[in-house]
Each structure stands twice: as structure tokens, then as C-alpha cells.
Amino acid sequence: MRHLRAQVVGCGAYLPERVVSNEELSHRLDTSDEWIRQRTGICERRIAADDEHTSHLGLQAARAALEAAGFGAGDIDLIIVATSTPDQTFPATATRIQAELGMTRGAAFDVQAVCSGFVYALAVADNFIRAGQSRNVLVIGAETFSRILDWEDRSTCVLFGDGAGALVLAAAEGNGKAEERGVLSTHIYSDGRHNEALYVDGGPGSTRTVGHLRMEGREVFRHAVVRMSQAIDAALDAGGVTPGDIDWLVPHQANIRIIEAMAKRLNLPMDRVVVTVDRHANTSAASIPLALCEASGDGRIQAGDLIMIEAMGGGFTWGSALVRW
Ligand code: ACO
């Protein structure tokens, strides 16, 4: 039996120019480079310029991904943007990127699952391709979290940054075996009982304001390791693979201590884990495509490598994906 599979045929990334170091933050907040590095592994983050919106970041990443794939905008059937920081309440940021790319057919929409957003968007894209409803899909994670941070709250504002990453997925026929390139499986979960642990205290339907990010850091940390482990197990089972088969772990980049715990769980040495949290901080839905692009761009990730992706975010939402690059 022939199977349709979503293969990664291009990726692209974009980071705003402005670098904000821990040292710079320590001049306006009661914090220190030492505290931030020790607790999170973060050294610096990028912050978008005032006139740079999420769609601008996503557009740059999308253009780079299309170029890498050798595709034009006219080749794409579907654009999915994972973001919690859309340019406007509506329409979807994906439609703004669609217009800027000059794509006038197909569909474009946003997916909102906070830091798990990219895994969710990948799952949706994979299922559209498997169902034969789309052939070439642009999946983008783009965020300007700097806009929803309370810059007076040292317990949250030091943790996040802005950026965007994109993948082009193309349908390919195969036998459905784990040795073949493409998205092998995706696994998404949520548990809405944990709203209070991580949320934004505003919204158009409640306060009519944008609001600011609020987080119980310890509570999120505790859940993150347990839930992402569960998602990783589901991906290993579905792929019929063992931790020893994984070439690269590409985790959501929230905190180096969470990343190290996940690597330990998979028995992977840290040189098999893609880490960007030191330079990007937590870019929410953008962190995984940014990490994938960096590691494929510098030659660490090679065609045929088996990649485990995992994330957890507000909601709670969490998930994983197993991808043969
Ligand atoms: N600088 C200095 N001190 C600080 C800072 C700061 N930036 N922030 C907090 N502190 C202080 C606290 O006030 C507290 O002081 P106290 O003991 O006098 O009360 C002390 O440091 C310890 O604070 P904790 O919150 O207990 O520190 P912890 O070791 O738990 O680290 C952190 C906090 C880094 C937030 C950690 O809990 C974490 O990474 N959690 C997971 C967060 C995460 O993954 N978020 C992303 C989820 S994805 C999404 O959807 C957005």
C-alpha cells in the first residue's frame, strides 16, 4: 500500500537584529546575568524593532524556507502560522504573510497553542498532506513575545525573545516505513485545567486589552518534564524506534535544565541535542523551527537523520513529533 508522507524540503529562519543581553536587563531590573544563566541557560535574546511585527518576522523566515526548497509562493497550497502574538486579533497573521508572498490561492490560517504551537501546526500540516488535501505546506512559527511581557516582572520578562522559523513540507509517496524521509508521526495533547499556571491576563473577549504573560514557573517546570516525556514515549512507540535510534533531539527552548532532563531521559549526550536557548531565550512557537534551521544550516542535521521534537506550553498544551529529515 502506498502512503503519503510530508517531507521537509526547505527551512528558513529570521531573528530581529537587536540583541538584548542579561547584563542590559540587569540595568533596569533587580536581576543578574548570573541568576538568569544559572536558572535558565539564557545569555541573550533578540527583540523586534517597534515597527517589526510577527508577520514581518514570519515572512522573512518563509521566504528563506521557500528559497531553500526551490519553491515559489505559487507552489504552496496551505500556510499555517503558529503564533500567540498575532499582528491583529484578526485576520490571521498567516493571511498577512500569504499576501506579502503574493500567494493568491489555497488557504492560510493560524494555530494557537503557545509554546507547543509549532508541534500543533506540524501535526495539522502532516494530516492535510496525509489526507491528500494539500501537497505543499508552509509551516511557520513566529512570535513577538516581547509585546506581551510585563517588563517590570523579573520572573517572566527575562525568559523570552522574538523570532521566526519556517519549514516547507511536500507530499511524497512511500511505503510508510520509518526508514523513509518525512514526518513519521505527531502527537498533540492539552489539559485546560492548568490555565492559571501560564496565561496572558487579557484578551479581546474578556478585558478588551492585550494583557501580559503570567506564569507559575515552578509549576510549569514540574509538568513540563513529565508531560514531554509522555509525548516522547508516544512518538517512540508509534515509530517502532528506541531512544538509541534518535540522531537529534530538537526540543522547545524554554530552559536548559528542562532540556537536559529530556536528553537524560532519552539517554542522549548533549552534543546530540540542539540548543539555542542561550542565544534566543524562549521564542515560544518559533523556537523549534529556529533550532531545526540552525542545526541543518550548519551541517549537524543531515538528510536521513531521525529527529525527536517535543514541546510544552500554556494551556497546558504539549506534544512531540518524529521526523526523518
Ligand atoms: N532575577 C533574580 N531573581 C529572580 C528572578 C530574576 N529574573 N526571577 C525570580 N527571581 C527570584 C524569585 O523572586 C525567588 O526569590 P525568593 O526565593 O526570594 O522568593 C527566587 O528567585 C527563586 O524563584 P523561583 O521561581 O523559585 O526560581 P526557579 O528556580 O523555579 O526558576 C524559572 C524560575 C526559571 C522560571 C523556572 O521555574 C522555569 O524555567 N520554569 C519553567 C518555565 C517555562 O518553561 N516556561 C515556558 C513554558 S512555555 C510557554 O507556553 C510560554
Side-chain angles (χ1 to χ4, degrees):
M1 192 178 145
R2 306 296 287 171
H3 287 258
L4 277 175
R5 186 167 279 177
Q7 285 188 348
V8 179
V9 295
C11 68
Y14 178 78
L15 288 164
E17 239 175 67
R18 179 157 150 64
V19 178
V20 175
S21 66
N22 293 344
E23 179 66 23
E24 184 178 336
L25 290 181
S26 73
H27 294 154
R28 48 185 156 105
L29 279 169
D30 181 14
T31 189
S32 65
D33 176 48
E34 195 196 357
W35 191 96
I36 302 171
R37 271 179 207 256
Q38 269 183 8
R39 303 283 177 132
T40 70
I42 297 165
C43 306
E44 61 187 36
R45 73 284 294 141
R46 301 295 183 102
I47 301 293
D50 287 345
D51 60 354
E52 229 175 3
H53 304 160
T54 296
S55 68
H56 301 144
L57 274 52
L59 177 65
Q60 300 296 335
R63 284 193 173 134
L66 287 170
E67 196 183 329
F71 280 29
D75 297 317
I76 299 295
D77 317 297
L78 177 64
I79 299 176
I80 307 175
V81 174
T83 190
S84 301
T85 46
D87 292 13
Q88 297 161 284
T89 302
F90 80 80
T93 299
T95 59
R96 298 187 67 89
I97 295 175
Q98 181 189 29
E100 288 299 320
L101 286 173
M103 176 187 159
T104 51
R105 63 185 196 88
F109 59 83
D110 291 357
V111 163
Q112 212 275 48
V114 205
C115 297
S116 312
F118 187 77
V119 177
Y120 270 61
L122 190 65
V124 175
D126 182 44
N127 280 298
F128 265 85
I129 287 176
R130 282 177 193 267
Q133 199 169 343
S134 301
R135 286 205 65 79
N136 300 319
V137 184
L138 191 51
V139 186
I140 304 167
E143 301 279 18
T144 47
F145 254 55
S146 60
R147 308 271 150 79
I148 55 165
L149 296 174
D150 174 353
W151 286 99
E152 309 282 308
D153 175 10
R154 66 175 183 173
S155 71
T156 53
C157 75
V158 302
L159 304 173
F160 296 90
D162 301 335
L167 298 187
V168 178
L169 298 178
E173 281 202 8
N175 296 318
K177 302 250 169 67
E179 297 76 46
E180 289 174 346
R181 292 185 54 221
V183 178
L184 304 189
S185 69
T186 58
H187 308 268
I188 57 171
Y189 310 91
S190 65
D191 184 344
R193 290 173 299 175
H194 299 280
N195 185 291
E196 299 307 309
L198 180 53
Y199 64 102
V200 167
D201 62 5
S206 53
T207 59
R208 306 176 195 201
T209 60
V210 173
H212 291 118
L213 182 146
R214 305 291 172 206
M215 179 169 73
E216 295 287 337
R218 277 200 186 171
E219 184 70 357
V220 176
F221 197 114
R222 198 167 62 78
H223 281 278
V225 176
V226 175
R227 289 169 193 271
M228 290 192 296
S229 297
Q230 172 203 339
I232 283 179
D233 288 347
L236 291 172
D237 277 357
V241 297
T242 65
D245 297 320
I246 305 296
D247 294 302
W248 294 99
L249 174 64
V250 183
H252 168 51
Q253 311 279 323
N255 184 314
I256 192 67
R257 292 186 291 151
I258 298 177
I259 294 173
E260 283 168 353
M262 300 317 298
K264 201 168 164 198
R265 183 129 203 309
L266 275 172
N267 211 11
L268 271 185
M270 283 305 285
D271 61 5
R272 287 274 149 192
V273 182
V274 181
V275 175
T276 57
V277 69
D278 52 335
R279 287 154 293 125
H280 301 173
N282 181 347
T283 56
S284 190
S287 87
I288 289 172
L290 275 166
L292 286 169
C293 286
E294 180 172 293
S296 72
D298 65 20
R300 274 178 290 169
I301 294 180
Q302 298 280 336
D305 281 354
L306 190 61
I307 298 171
M308 177 67 79
I309 290 169
E310 40 90 342
M312 143 110 184
F316 294 139
T317 56
W318 66 100
S320 65
L322 197 57
V323 179
R324 177 79 64 190
W325 195 255

